[in-house]
Amino acid sequence: MSQSKSSILIIYTGGTIGMKNDEHTGALIPFDFSGIYEEFPSLKRLNVDIEVITLSPIIDSSNVAPENWVRLAEIIRDNYSRYDGFVVLHGTDTMSYTASALSFMLEDLAKPVVFTGSQIPIGVLRTDGRENLITSIEIAGSRSEGHPTVPEVSLYFQNRLFRANRTTKRSAEALNAFVSDNYPPLASVGVNIAYHKSIINHPDSYDNTELHIATHLAEGVEIVKIFPGMSRQILEAVFSIPHLKAVVLETFGAGNAPTCEWFIRIITRAVERGVIVLNITQCGGGSVEMDLYDTGLRLKQAGVVCGYDMTTEAAVSKLMYVLGLNRSKEETLELLRQPLRGEFTV
Ligand code: ASP
């Protein structure tokens, strides 16, 4: 028995994937995704119906702000019951931030939301965008055992499908621009798409026809990357920002930082004032373990929260999401200490 057609909504937000050369001038101009079937007739062979929303204005993803994440979440919520899956076309530069944020904001998601983009414009002969787009559509429409195969927020790029909140853009040059250092791919793509089903997240229930989303993201969340020789002034300046709520502290190795008196004092005082300090490592792979060295233990004693193997993108967007829920201090810390969408491994 052939499966019924899936319906997919493509949301084009901007970025390189949506560019093609003007036939006359050769200049890069935006590609009109509403003409997607004319441009890629092979799409008709996929068992999917496609509709496209193009955001206005489309933006280079370097200009993305939390307001854009809320708008995107609202579009997915408002169209949730009409489609089986969603493909978000996004600039690669900040795609991991947006995709991580959406993984938290789409609270009871039970359908695929696949982010993709490209390094070379879709209208250029050697583009990586065509394959990224077509495979993302196929993944968003895929079903197994009566349910979507990948009912979480994911990111597809160059033959690999990742959990979105585990990804980072690692290369400004290579076509396999994204990595997921601490979590294996949800699917590997060759001649066939091999889904690694045992590591894909599934929702508690598939019964909800409505999607609940978070529309409030907290301000006052900052990132501090430490380095040998960092000045006391810069740390003092960051921790004296008015209305500061949380800092993602990018530390060395397994979560280590200088133990000098001024460093520990600034962090300790901030925590005492109610600022949340979340410790993640600058290393691509591996996890924070604050008990391993004295240099990590001092942070733990100061009240710093362990971020385990979270990416910067996941850490900062999770803090905005969790603090935006306006829960009590204890509940907030509880939400930070547990993975909410598979964003870290304890
Ligand atoms: N600057 C572009 C963007 O992120 C790069 C890309 O799409 O790859 O919007």
Side-chain angles (χ1 to χ4, degrees), residues 227-249:
F227 59 95
M230 180 181 201
S231 71
R232 176 176 169 165
Q233 287 93 323
I234 185 85
L235 202 69
E236 271 169 355
V238 172
F239 279 96
S240 60
I241 291 174
H243 311 299
L244 181 71
K245 293 202 180 80
V247 171
V248 175
L249 192 65

Side-chain angles (χ1 to χ4, degrees), residues 14-17 59-62 90-94 118-119 169:
T16 298
I17 191 165
I59 51 173
D60 185 292
S61 78
S62 301
H90 196 285
T92 57
D93 290 347
T94 62
S118 71
Q119 293 279 67
K169 182 175 178 182

Side-chain angles (χ1 to χ4, degrees), residues 66 69 216-219 221 315-325:
W69 301 342
H216 182 60
L217 296 166
E219 292 175 3
V221 179
V316 74
S317 59
K318 181 176 181 178
L319 279 167
M320 290 180 188
Y321 165 71
V322 170
L323 288 165
L325 298 174

Side-chain angles (χ1 to χ4, degrees), residues 15-146:
T16 298
I17 191 165
M19 297 287 161
K20 66 186 256 182
N21 291 103
D22 183 282
E23 276 174 33
H24 307 291
T25 64
L28 280 176
I29 52 163
F31 171 91
D32 180 4
F33 279 95
S34 61
I36 196 163
Y37 283 116
E38 288 88 82
E39 203 74 34
F40 304 114
S42 51
L43 275 178
K44 292 191 189 127
R45 275 188 260 138
L46 289 178
N47 201 25
V48 288
D49 281 324
I50 298 167
E51 285 181 41
V52 182
I53 292 180
T54 298
L55 294 199
S56 175
I58 51 172
I59 51 173
D60 185 292
S61 78
S62 301
N63 286 317
V64 157
E67 299 88 83
N68 302 98
W69 301 342
V70 173
R71 181 75 199 107
L72 203 47
E74 286 170 343
I75 292 173
I76 295 173
R77 177 197 59 197
D78 296 346
N79 288 282
Y80 192 69
S81 60
R82 296 179 48 221
Y83 296 94
D84 298 307
F86 300 83
V87 172
V88 181
L89 304 179
H90 196 285
T92 57
D93 290 347
T94 62
M95 183 152 56
S96 292
Y97 286 92
T98 301
S100 295
L102 267 286
S103 78
F104 298 113
M105 295 164 74
L106 308 180
E107 292 183 325
D108 47 4
L109 183 72
K111 294 183 179 182
V113 175
V114 186
F115 277 76
T116 197
S118 71
Q119 293 279 67
I120 304 176
I122 201 146
V124 170
L125 206 54
R126 219 161 47 72
T127 184
D128 51 331
R130 191 181 308 115
E131 195 281 319
N132 285 347
L133 171 66
I134 291 173
T135 306
S136 295
I137 294 170
E138 190 166 347
I139 290 168
S142 168
R143 295 179 74 77
S144 22
E145 289 152 37

Side-chain angles (χ1 to χ4, degrees), residues 11 48 66 111 128 145 156 162 173 199 252-253 259 334 345:
I11 306 167
V48 288
K111 294 183 179 182
D128 51 331
E145 289 152 37
Y156 179 74
F162 299 119
E173 169 65 26
I199 58 162
F252 306 127
T259 49
E334 201 39 50
T345 308

